[in-house]
Amino acid sequence: NKKDYFEIAEENNAGDFSKVLDWTNDIMNREDQDMNYLKERIYKDTNPRFNQALKLWTERKPIFIYPDFKASELNASYSPVKDEKYGGVLLFNSYPDRYGRTVYTSLNKDVVSHETGHAMLDILRPDIYKEPRYQTQAIHESFGHLTCLFYHLSVVENRFKVLKETKGDLSVTSFLT
């Protein structure tokens, strides 16, 4: 029952970027499961704000991914677009490291899940992205961070790995921190 919520730019000789598409779709499909759980078990169509969020979620447009976006900034980003076909765009830059090898931000699960978190929040609350206050922008950033964290914790092996690394004490530094 998985859906594809993303379309990816085809790049000539840029390498295999199927991972970024798999990761973004996996994150959105997990969110779909959560939304359906909330709808069926908790809200049961009684909460108007949830119903509006669910409507925005289910009627969203696909998000376009550029896995090898050439830019001057060494970063990745999400931005909404005013386009009839797409609901947003994820740009993953590539850049040469100090040894001259190309580093692709789209091949880093942390970066992909963080930027996908921005896209998810923008679908549910598009007004937050446009808000100019620093506090509201900080909420957007923290949502990206939490999406990354929850994505890693949704993988069973990662939960065991963090428990092993920390000996059960989650206040100890691990790969998650």
Side-chain angles (χ1 to χ4, degrees), residues 120-143:
M120 288 168 39
L121 183 56
D122 190 48
I123 291 166
L124 295 170
R125 291 290 307 269
D127 54 317
I128 292 178
Y129 192 85
K130 298 169 190 157
E131 180 64 45
R133 296 186 314 191
Y134 291 118
Q135 298 90 336
T136 312
Q137 293 170 4
I139 290 170
H140 229 291
E141 275 307 302
S142 64
F143 198 89

Side-chain angles (χ1 to χ4, degrees), residues 22-44:
D22 291 344
W23 295 335
T24 50
N25 276 316
D26 189 37
I27 292 165
M28 285 295 195
N29 281 302
R30 288 171 196 264
E31 192 66 21
D32 265 347
Q33 294 169 6
D34 294 341
M35 292 294 276
N36 285 329
Y37 176 83
L38 291 172
K39 179 182 175 189
E40 293 167 9
R41 304 281 170 89
I42 298 172
Y43 290 110
K44 298 181 184 171

Side-chain angles (χ1 to χ4, degrees), residues 56-74:
L56 289 169
W57 184 260
T58 55
E59 295 176 0
R60 67 193 180 276
K61 296 176 184 176
I63 293 168
F64 197 72
I65 299 172
Y66 287 98
D68 185 19
F69 188 72
K70 305 289 190 233
S72 58
E73 295 181 20
L74 307 180

Side-chain angles (χ1 to χ4, degrees), residues 79-113:
S79 65
V81 293
K82 294 187 183 201
D83 184 308
E84 292 184 18
K85 188 173 179 186
Y86 297 108
V89 61
L90 286 168
L91 303 175
F92 296 100
N93 299 352
S94 63
Y95 57 93
D97 67 8
R98 64 183 177 182
Y99 303 109
R101 296 175 298 204
T102 302
V103 176
Y104 298 97
T105 59
S106 64
L107 297 181
N108 183 309
K109 282 185 184 179
D110 293 339
V111 175
V112 171
S113 56

